[in-house]
CSV table of all heavy atoms in Angstrom, one decimal:
chain,number,residue,atom,x,y,z
A,1714,MET,N,-11.5,-18.7,-2.1
A,1714,MET,CA,-12.4,-17.5,-2.4
A,1714,MET,C,-12.4,-17.1,-3.8
A,1714,MET,O,-13.4,-16.8,-4.4
A,1714,MET,CB,-11.9,-16.3,-1.5
A,1714,MET,CG,-12.0,-16.5,0.0
A,1714,MET,SD,-11.8,-14.9,0.8
A,1714,MET,CE,-10.1,-14.8,1.2
A,1715,VAL,N,-11.2,-17.1,-4.4
A,1715,VAL,CA,-11.0,-16.7,-5.8
A,1715,VAL,C,-11.8,-17.7,-6.7
A,1715,VAL,O,-12.5,-17.3,-7.6
A,1715,VAL,CB,-9.5,-16.6,-6.2
A,1715,VAL,CG1,-9.4,-16.3,-7.7
A,1715,VAL,CG2,-8.9,-15.5,-5.4
A,1716,ARG,N,-11.6,-19.0,-6.4
A,1716,ARG,CA,-12.3,-20.0,-7.2
A,1716,ARG,C,-13.8,-19.8,-7.1
A,1716,ARG,O,-14.5,-19.9,-8.1
A,1716,ARG,CB,-11.9,-21.4,-6.7
A,1716,ARG,CG,-10.6,-21.9,-7.2
A,1716,ARG,CD,-10.5,-23.4,-6.7
A,1716,ARG,NE,-9.1,-23.8,-6.9
A,1716,ARG,CZ,-8.3,-24.3,-6.0
A,1716,ARG,NH1,-8.8,-24.5,-4.8
A,1716,ARG,NH2,-7.1,-24.7,-6.2
A,1717,SER,N,-14.3,-19.5,-5.9
A,1717,SER,CA,-15.8,-19.4,-5.8
A,1717,SER,C,-16.3,-18.2,-6.5
A,1717,SER,O,-17.4,-18.2,-7.1
A,1717,SER,CB,-16.4,-19.6,-4.4
A,1717,SER,OG,-15.6,-19.1,-3.5
A,1718,PHE,N,-15.5,-17.1,-6.5
A,1718,PHE,CA,-16.0,-15.9,-7.3
A,1718,PHE,C,-15.9,-16.2,-8.8
A,1718,PHE,O,-16.9,-15.9,-9.5
A,1718,PHE,CB,-15.1,-14.7,-6.9
A,1718,PHE,CG,-15.5,-13.5,-7.7
A,1718,PHE,CD1,-16.8,-13.0,-7.7
A,1718,PHE,CD2,-14.5,-12.9,-8.5
A,1718,PHE,CE1,-17.1,-11.9,-8.5
A,1718,PHE,CE2,-14.8,-11.8,-9.3
A,1718,PHE,CZ,-16.1,-11.3,-9.3
A,1719,LEU,N,-14.8,-16.8,-9.3
A,1719,LEU,CA,-14.7,-16.9,-10.7
A,1719,LEU,C,-15.4,-18.1,-11.2
A,1719,LEU,O,-15.8,-18.2,-12.4
A,1719,LEU,CB,-13.2,-17.1,-11.0
A,1719,LEU,CG,-12.3,-15.9,-10.9
A,1719,LEU,CD1,-10.8,-16.3,-11.1
A,1719,LEU,CD2,-12.7,-14.7,-11.8
A,1720,GLY,N,-15.7,-19.1,-10.4
A,1720,GLY,CA,-16.3,-20.4,-10.8
A,1720,GLY,C,-15.3,-21.2,-11.7
A,1720,GLY,O,-15.7,-22.0,-12.5
A,1721,ARG,N,-14.0,-20.9,-11.5
A,1721,ARG,CA,-13.0,-21.7,-12.3
A,1721,ARG,C,-11.6,-21.5,-11.6
A,1721,ARG,O,-11.5,-20.7,-10.6
A,1721,ARG,CB,-12.9,-21.2,-13.7
A,1721,ARG,CG,-12.6,-19.8,-13.8
A,1721,ARG,CD,-12.1,-19.4,-15.3
A,1721,ARG,NE,-12.1,-17.9,-15.5
A,1721,ARG,CZ,-11.1,-17.1,-15.1
A,1721,ARG,NH1,-10.1,-17.6,-14.4
A,1721,ARG,NH2,-11.1,-15.8,-15.3
A,1722,GLU,N,-10.6,-22.2,-12.1
A,1722,GLU,CA,-9.2,-21.9,-11.5
A,1722,GLU,C,-8.7,-20.6,-12.0
A,1722,GLU,O,-9.1,-20.1,-13.1
A,1722,GLU,CB,-8.3,-23.0,-12.1
A,1722,GLU,CG,-8.4,-24.4,-11.5
A,1722,GLU,CD,-8.2,-24.4,-10.0
A,1722,GLU,OE1,-7.2,-23.8,-9.5
A,1722,GLU,OE2,-9.0,-24.9,-9.3
A,1723,PRO,N,-8.0,-19.8,-11.2
A,1723,PRO,CA,-7.4,-18.6,-11.7
A,1723,PRO,C,-6.4,-18.7,-12.8
A,1723,PRO,O,-5.8,-19.8,-12.9
A,1723,PRO,CB,-6.7,-18.0,-10.4
A,1723,PRO,CG,-6.6,-19.1,-9.4
A,1723,PRO,CD,-7.6,-20.1,-9.8
A,1724,SER,N,-6.2,-17.7,-13.6
A,1724,SER,CA,-5.3,-17.8,-14.7
A,1724,SER,C,-4.4,-16.5,-14.8
A,1724,SER,O,-4.9,-15.4,-14.4
A,1724,SER,CB,-6.1,-17.9,-16.0
A,1724,SER,OG,-5.5,-17.3,-17.1
A,1725,SER,N,-3.2,-16.6,-15.3
A,1725,SER,CA,-2.3,-15.4,-15.4
A,1725,SER,C,-2.4,-14.8,-16.8
A,1725,SER,O,-1.6,-13.9,-17.1
A,1725,SER,CB,-0.9,-15.8,-15.0
A,1725,SER,OG,-0.4,-16.8,-15.9
A,1726,GLU,N,-3.2,-15.3,-17.6
A,1726,GLU,CA,-3.3,-14.8,-19.0
A,1726,GLU,C,-3.5,-13.3,-19.1
A,1726,GLU,O,-2.8,-12.6,-19.8
A,1726,GLU,CB,-4.5,-15.5,-19.7
A,1726,GLU,CG,-4.4,-15.6,-21.2
A,1726,GLU,CD,-5.6,-16.4,-21.7
A,1726,GLU,OE1,-5.8,-17.5,-21.2
A,1726,GLU,OE2,-6.3,-15.8,-22.6
A,1727,ALA,N,-4.5,-12.8,-18.3
A,1727,ALA,CA,-4.8,-11.4,-18.4
A,1727,ALA,C,-3.6,-10.5,-17.9
A,1727,ALA,O,-3.3,-9.5,-18.5
A,1727,ALA,CB,-6.0,-11.1,-17.5
A,1728,PHE,N,-2.9,-11.0,-16.9
A,1728,PHE,CA,-1.7,-10.3,-16.4
A,1728,PHE,C,-0.6,-10.2,-17.5
A,1728,PHE,O,-0.1,-9.1,-17.8
A,1728,PHE,CB,-1.2,-10.9,-15.2
A,1728,PHE,CG,0.1,-10.3,-14.7
A,1728,PHE,CD1,0.1,-9.1,-14.0
A,1728,PHE,CD2,1.3,-11.0,-14.9
A,1728,PHE,CE1,1.3,-8.5,-13.5
A,1728,PHE,CE2,2.5,-10.4,-14.5
A,1728,PHE,CZ,2.5,-9.2,-13.8
A,1729,PHE,N,-0.3,-11.3,-18.1
A,1729,PHE,CA,0.8,-11.2,-19.1
A,1729,PHE,C,0.4,-10.5,-20.4
A,1729,PHE,O,1.2,-9.8,-21.0
A,1729,PHE,CB,1.3,-12.6,-19.4
A,1729,PHE,CG,2.3,-13.1,-18.3
A,1729,PHE,CD1,1.8,-14.0,-17.4
A,1729,PHE,CD2,3.5,-12.5,-18.2
A,1729,PHE,CE1,2.7,-14.4,-16.3
A,1729,PHE,CE2,4.4,-12.9,-17.2
A,1729,PHE,CZ,4.0,-13.8,-16.2
A,1730,ALA,N,-0.9,-10.5,-20.7
A,1730,ALA,CA,-1.4,-9.7,-21.8
A,1730,ALA,C,-1.2,-8.2,-21.4
A,1730,ALA,O,-0.8,-7.4,-22.2
A,1730,ALA,CB,-2.8,-10.0,-22.1
A,1731,GLU,N,-1.6,-7.9,-20.2
A,1731,GLU,CA,-1.5,-6.5,-19.7
A,1731,GLU,C,0.0,-5.9,-19.8
A,1731,GLU,O,0.2,-4.9,-20.3
A,1731,GLU,CB,-2.0,-6.4,-18.3
A,1731,GLU,CG,-1.7,-5.1,-17.5
A,1731,GLU,CD,-2.6,-3.9,-17.9
A,1731,GLU,OE1,-3.6,-4.1,-18.5
A,1731,GLU,OE2,-2.1,-2.8,-17.7
A,1732,ILE,N,0.9,-6.7,-19.2
A,1732,ILE,CA,2.3,-6.2,-19.1
A,1732,ILE,C,3.0,-6.2,-20.4
A,1732,ILE,O,4.0,-5.5,-20.5
A,1732,ILE,CB,3.1,-6.9,-18.0
A,1732,ILE,CG1,3.5,-8.3,-18.3
A,1732,ILE,CG2,2.4,-6.8,-16.7
A,1732,ILE,CD1,4.5,-8.9,-17.3
Side-chain angles (χ1 to χ4, degrees):
M1714 295 195 269
V1715 175
R1716 279 185 194 126
S1717 31
F1718 174 59
L1719 291 175
R1721 59 166 169 77
E1722 286 299 312
S1724 147
S1725 60
E1726 204 179 307
F1728 174 77
F1729 282 103
E1731 165 77 21
I1732 71 172

